[in-house]
Amino acid sequence: MIIKTHYGIFNSLLNKEIIKNQHITRLGKIFQDDLSPLFYKDASKATRFEHTFGVVHLASLVKATEKEKKLLEYSALLHDIGLPCFGHIGESVMQRVLEKDHEENALDIIKNSEIKTILEEEGILEQIIDIFNKRHYLTELIFGSVD
C-alpha cells in the first residue's frame, strides 16, 4: 500500500484495515503538547497520528527482511496507541492511576481489540507481543532511545 504523509510517499506493508481502526484514528485527536513546543515551533500542531506515520516511514527505510520490516512497521504504527491525552505527560498520571505505562496499555489494547485479529491474520501477533514486552531483538528500534 502506498502511503503519503508530510514525511513523503512510501510503500508500506501495513494492512489498510488497521489504519482505519479506532485506536489508530484517535491518535489524530492527541496533540504532541508535552515539552516539544519548547524545541519545535509547530510541534503543538502535530498530532500523534502524524508522528506515528513518521515512525512507520522510518521503519520502512530500515534494511531488513520483509518479515522484519512488517514487524517494524506494525510496531511503529501501534507504538503510541496506549498513550492517554497529553502524550507522555499524561502518561505519568496514567502510571499513578492504572499502574502501567503506555506500552503496557498498548499491549492491553492489542490483546483486547480487533487489532488482535488483524495481527493474527498477518501472522505476527506473537512477535508484536514480544516486541511490546521487550523480549524481541527489534524492540530497541521501537521503544529504545530512538523513540
Side-chain angles (χ1 to χ4, degrees):
M1 168 177 60
I2 302 295
I3 297 178
K4 181 179 179 186
T5 70
H6 66 275
Y7 298 100
I9 298 172
F10 63 100
N11 194 12
S12 173
L13 299 171
L14 295 174
N15 171 327
K16 65 182 173 186
E17 291 304 310
I18 198 163
I19 295 170
K20 299 176 190 175
N21 183 276
Q22 65 179 341
H23 298 290
I24 304 300
T25 59
R26 84 175 256 284
L27 295 174
K29 298 175 185 164
I30 300 174
F31 291 94
Q32 290 195 231
D33 279 340
D34 45 14
L35 300 176
S36 302
L38 295 175
F39 308 103
Y40 178 56
K41 186 176 118 185
D42 294 326
S44 62
K45 297 175 185 170
T47 66
R48 284 284 161 185
F49 188 82
E50 293 164 325
H51 159 76
T52 293
F53 278 94
V55 178
V56 172
H57 186 215
L58 288 175
S60 76
L61 300 174
V62 173
K63 289 197 182 275
T65 67
E66 188 164 313
K67 178 77 169 188
E68 290 169 329
K69 277 190 170 204
K70 183 186 255 190
L71 286 171
L72 286 170
E73 285 188 29
Y74 275 89
S75 296
L77 180 72
L78 300 169
H79 87 280
D80 271 348
I81 63 169
L83 274 175
C85 57
F86 304 115
H88 291 287
I89 289 177
E91 183 176 16
S92 64
V93 174
M94 182 176 72
Q95 285 177 320
R96 279 186 249 132
V97 174
L98 300 178
E99 297 181 347
K100 58 183 166 181
D101 61 21
H102 81 277
E103 289 101 344
E104 293 167 314
N105 196 40
L107 195 51
D108 286 346
I109 292 168
I110 290 167
K111 289 179 176 178
N112 298 300
S113 73
E114 56 282 349
I115 291 173
K116 178 181 176 183
T117 304
I118 294 169
L119 297 177
E120 286 173 332
E121 290 170 358
E122 292 290 328
I124 58 173
L125 175 64
E126 294 306 317
Q127 294 94 342
I128 295 291
I129 289 171
D130 285 346
I131 289 170
F132 276 78
N133 280 324
K134 299 177 174 81
R135 293 190 307 243
H136 195 281
Y137 68 94
L138 295 174
T139 296
E140 186 65 26
L141 290 175
I142 301 298
F143 296 114
S145 58
V146 175
D147 182 37

